[in-house]
Amino acid sequence: GDWSSDVCSSDLNHEANLPGLAAGVWFGTGRPALIHLQNSGLLNLGDGIVSFAQPGIFAIPLAALVTYRGASASDDSEPHQAIGARTDGLVDLIFGPAARIRGDRLGLEPLLPALDQVLGHALAGGLAVLKLSPHAFRPSPVGTVIPARAPDGNPEALLEALKQRQRRGWQTQIGRAHV
């Protein structure tokens, strides 16, 4: 990626690599990373967060975007429903009681204010999570729509919103695990 830009995106092959990427960004730049994964990868991510990034260990600040599989009954895959039903509990266990956790399975919380709070908490040195349901991508009050997926499967509109928030001093390294 281009380290001179506001947002640098790195595609990784497994969620277990995301804590290492976040640590490298933190130790290399002094700024927290923003990582993205599907809820089905939470257990793969968990060991690195629990044993490495937690306060009291190395205290690596980061923000995580966790997108849902099995967010609603319309996703009728049994494995997706199983992980969807466990996502809230897994996020709480993995990121711990000090983490700022926003978002919900039904997408009822307004997306961009929640994103601002998550990024702000990471900037202040904490762990933060925004759980993104496909239902969260709905028209904003001004009539714009952030699509759940761009044609290539990446939330490009969300990346654009993040770029706009860069003006307030947030340096972002986005690591996306694709498995």
Side-chain angles (χ1 to χ4, degrees):
D2 177 9
W3 286 94
S4 64
S5 67
D6 287 339
V7 175
C8 180
S9 176
S10 299
D11 290 334
L12 304 176
N13 64 355
H14 199 269
E15 296 87 354
N17 298 324
L18 290 169
L21 173 81
V25 170
W26 173 246
F27 291 133
T29 68
R31 297 176 177 175
L34 171 65
I35 61 172
H36 170 247
L37 66 146
Q38 294 177 350
N39 59 347
S40 56
L42 280 166
L43 289 173
N44 296 321
L45 173 84
D47 180 52
I49 298 296
V50 171
S51 64
F52 185 68
Q54 288 290 321
I57 302 174
F58 288 103
I60 307 296
L62 65 90
L65 300 178
V66 178
T67 52
Y68 272 91
R69 289 182 172 206
S72 69
S74 65
D75 183 351
D76 61 359
S77 166
E78 289 85 0
H80 292 182
Q81 287 297 313
I83 193 66
R86 291 172 173 84
T87 297
D88 291 340
L90 286 171
V91 167
D92 291 344
L93 286 171
I94 291 168
F95 287 91
R100 168 78 46 92
I101 300 171
R102 302 302 305 258
D104 60 87
R105 185 176 184 169
L106 299 177
L108 299 175
E109 183 173 7
L111 177 61
L112 295 179
L115 179 61
D116 280 339
Q117 289 182 13
V118 164
L119 296 178
H121 191 71
L123 275 171
L127 291 174
V129 180
L130 178 57
K131 298 176 289 185
L132 288 175
S133 164
H135 306 292
F137 298 94
R138 59 184 184 271
S140 74
V142 294
T144 58
V145 175
I146 300 175
R149 294 207 178 265
D152 65 356
N154 294 321
E156 298 299 330
L158 184 57
L159 290 176
E160 183 58 35
L162 289 171
K163 287 179 185 179
Q164 292 172 7
R165 283 160 173 71
Q166 303 302 356
R167 307 321 181 248
R168 295 192 302 245
W170 171 264
Q171 174 70 32
T172 306
Q173 169 74 32
I174 300 177
R176 294 181 297 227
H178 296 282
V179 291

